[in-house]
Amino acid sequence: MQTALLTIPAMQDQNAALAVAKALEAVAGVETVHLTLATGRARVGFDEARASADQLRLAVAAAGFTVAPQASGGCCGGCGGG
């Protein structure tokens, strides 16, 4: 299983989070979706044989939200250390 960390700045309330969660869960191969409103982040576990990070971004975009580009430097921000 692969994990993607997506930052979605406009995901600031429960309605937005619900729309993002539904969009991500509809992607074939997505196994888990964990959202954090305080940071506007989605952590998505998916089967890399059935889905890709690009498909996740496209699903979020189709739901009307923008995924912020990841910071360069190799840190995904997932551990909270960077």
Side-chain angles (χ1 to χ4, degrees):
M1 183 168 76
Q2 185 84 320
T3 301
L5 181 66
L6 307 175
T7 300
I8 307 161
M11 187 178 68
Q12 298 178 350
D13 61 33
Q14 284 296 98
N15 290 330
L18 183 60
V20 169
K22 283 184 176 182
L24 290 168
E25 290 168 347
V27 176
V30 168
E31 297 173 4
T32 61
V33 176
H34 298 282
L35 304 175
T36 306
L37 284 177
T39 60
R41 289 190 177 161
R43 182 181 304 273
V44 185
F46 62 98
D47 177 352
E48 62 272 12
R50 297 177 60 207
S52 69
D54 285 338
Q55 287 175 305
L56 302 177
R57 287 184 194 89
L58 288 172
V60 172
F65 298 90
T66 301
V67 177
Q70 284 189 332
S72 61
C75 179
C76 72
C79 67

